């Protein structure tokens, strides 16, 4: 399988897979979704009792409109910036034996007093300024006048095989590479295909109709159904596919792709080793 990068931005990518098939494309898709690790909040400690303000003249109730479990779940879904070269899986960390240390965990503090809306940007990493959350304006909870929240949250590496909060990608999908053929001898230039195409990739040129962007074709075959002269033939190539994906910002799209290919190579290598052990 050959991979050509058609588009590579910070949070999204578009790949062209050649000498491939849906089986290989789906294997890459599943790794992009479930096997690439990232940081996410796993443990949350809530402060109980009253919380004083900075001046010490006013006390707030350590209570919120939501159950602690709901808040913890919301915190877990907030994208955390991840450096895969810096962190280890907590249960595999040789430095602390899974107890939690700077090599496998990141601690965040959240201290807000109402009335206000608490956002993801209010979460502050303890001692690691570079690890502030990716998106600042994800709402967590709304506090009234006498309410406050004080928590410490611990982020660790994981994969989406265990929970969706460790899924770094969204919108991962692929399609066959379109192949649109137009028989200009049959085309009578009625213009119906130009109006019906949802991708707007057909235009008149030199007395005929041509495709302006083959990759943008949705393979819906609206042009085939509309053309009364049977001038169109639309197919998807069996050995060429287009794969797209986005990330939640915890990892760059390029980093996710490289890590996915490493994981896929290890999986295939492990499978070959198992086959060779069969007598």
């Amino acid at each position: 399988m050959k991979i050509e990068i058609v588009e590579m931005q910070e949070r999204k990518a578009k790949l062209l897979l050649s000498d491939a098939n849906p089986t290989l494309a789906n294997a890459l898709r599943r790794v992009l979704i479930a096997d690439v690790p990232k940081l996410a909040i796993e443990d949350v400690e809530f402060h109980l009792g009253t919380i004083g303000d900075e001046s010490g003249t006013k006390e707030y109730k350590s209570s919120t409109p939501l159950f602690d479990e709901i808040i913890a779940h919301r915190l877990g879904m907030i994208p955390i910036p991840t450096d895969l070269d810096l962190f280890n899986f907590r249960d595999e960390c040789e430095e602390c034996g899974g107890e939690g240390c700077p090599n496998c965990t990141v601690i965040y503090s959240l201290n807000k007093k109402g009335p206000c809306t608490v956002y993801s940007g209010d979460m502050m990493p303890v001692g690691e300024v570079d690890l502030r959350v990716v998106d600042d304006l994800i709402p967590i909870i709304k506090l009234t006048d006498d309410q406050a929240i004080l928590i410490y949250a611990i982020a660790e590496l994981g994969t989406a095989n265990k929970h969706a909060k460790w899924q770094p990608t969204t919108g991962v999908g692929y399609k066959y590479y379109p192949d649109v053929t137009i028989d200009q001898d049959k085309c009578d230039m009625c213009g119906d295909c130009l109006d019906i195409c949802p991708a707007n990739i057909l235009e008149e040129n030199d007395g005929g109709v041509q495709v302006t962007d083959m990759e943008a074709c949705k393979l819906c075959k609206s042009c085939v159904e509309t053309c009364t002269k049977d001038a169109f033939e639309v197919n998807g190539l069996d050995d060429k596919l287009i794969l797209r994906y986005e990330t939640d910002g915890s990892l760059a799209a390029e980093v996710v792709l490289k890590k996915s290919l490493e994981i896929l190579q290890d999986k295939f290598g492990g499978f070959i080793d198992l086959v060779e052990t069969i007598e």
Side-chain angles (χ1 to χ4, degrees):
M1 180 174 68
K2 300 178 181 178
I3 300 177
E4 177 185 344
I5 298 177
V6 179
E7 177 185 4
M8 182 62 72
Q9 299 185 23
E10 182 66 20
R11 292 199 183 190
K12 67 178 181 178
K14 177 181 177 182
L15 311 176
L16 180 61
L17 310 182
S18 303
D19 297 333
N21 55 57
T23 303
L24 293 175
N26 192 53
L28 178 57
R29 182 189 71 86
R30 292 176 64 89
V31 172
L32 284 166
I33 293 174
D35 292 328
V36 177
K38 57 165 276 190
L39 288 171
I41 301 297
E42 173 68 358
D43 298 319
V44 182
E45 178 183 339
F46 290 84
H47 174 81
L48 303 178
T50 59
I51 300 173
D53 62 4
E54 288 75 7
S55 63
T57 58
K58 184 177 180 180
E59 290 187 344
Y60 296 82
K61 295 179 181 178
S62 180
S63 63
T64 66
L66 297 178
F67 291 113
D68 292 347
E69 293 83 355
I70 297 177
I71 298 175
H73 184 270
R74 290 186 175 186
L75 295 177
M77 301 304 293
I78 294 175
I80 304 294
T82 303
D83 187 341
L84 295 178
D85 295 326
L86 183 62
F87 293 98
N88 307 315
F89 286 99
R90 186 170 179 175
D91 57 357
E92 299 176 2
C93 185
E94 298 179 355
E95 296 293 329
C96 66
E99 293 295 326
C101 69
N103 290 328
C104 62
T105 59
V106 181
I107 301 176
Y108 289 86
S109 66
L110 177 58
N111 186 359
K112 292 289 291 185
K113 303 171 184 65
C116 69
T117 298
V118 182
Y119 293 97
S120 55
D122 296 319
M123 293 175 56
M124 295 297 169
V126 178
E128 297 288 346
V129 180
D130 295 338
L131 293 176
R132 288 198 60 177
V133 297
V134 178
D135 297 314
D136 292 337
L137 298 178
I138 301 175
I140 299 173
I141 196 169
K142 194 170 184 177
L143 303 176
T144 58
D145 292 342
D146 61 342
Q147 293 180 330
I149 184 171
L150 173 58
I151 65 172
Y152 289 96
I154 300 176
E156 62 181 66
L157 278 182
T159 63
N161 282 317
K162 183 177 180 181
H163 194 282
K165 66 183 178 183
W166 281 300
Q167 180 177 321
T169 57
T170 59
V172 186
Y174 61 89
K175 70 173 184 178
Y176 289 111
Y177 192 90
D179 180 26
V180 181
T181 304
I182 305 174
D183 190 335
Q184 302 296 343
D185 294 332
K186 293 182 179 180
C187 179
D188 59 0
M189 293 302 299
C190 66
D192 291 343
C193 59
L194 306 182
D195 299 330
I196 199 66
C197 178
N200 295 318
I201 59 172
L202 300 176
E203 68 175 19
E204 295 183 24
N205 185 43
D206 297 331
V209 176
Q210 71 172 11
V211 180
T212 59
D213 187 355
M214 190 70 73
E215 293 182 4
C217 176
K218 300 180 182 299
L219 295 173
C220 64
K221 297 190 177 183
S222 296
C223 53
V224 176
E225 298 171 358
T226 303
C227 183
T228 59
K229 303 298 183 180
D230 295 329
F232 283 86
E233 183 177 352
V234 178
N235 297 295
L237 300 181
D238 294 335
D239 60 347
K240 198 172 184 180
L241 303 102
I242 298 173
L243 186 145
R244 291 183 175 89
Y245 67 90
E246 298 182 8
T247 76
D248 62 358
S250 56
L251 292 167
E254 183 177 357
V255 174
V256 172
L257 176 60
K258 289 180 179 179
K259 189 63 177 179
S260 296
L261 294 176
E262 291 177 8
I263 295 172
L264 202 57
Q265 186 175 22
D266 291 341
K267 286 179 176 290
F268 286 148
F271 179 74
I272 292 174
D273 293 339
L274 289 174
V275 171
E276 291 178 348
T277 61
I278 299 176
E279 297 182 357

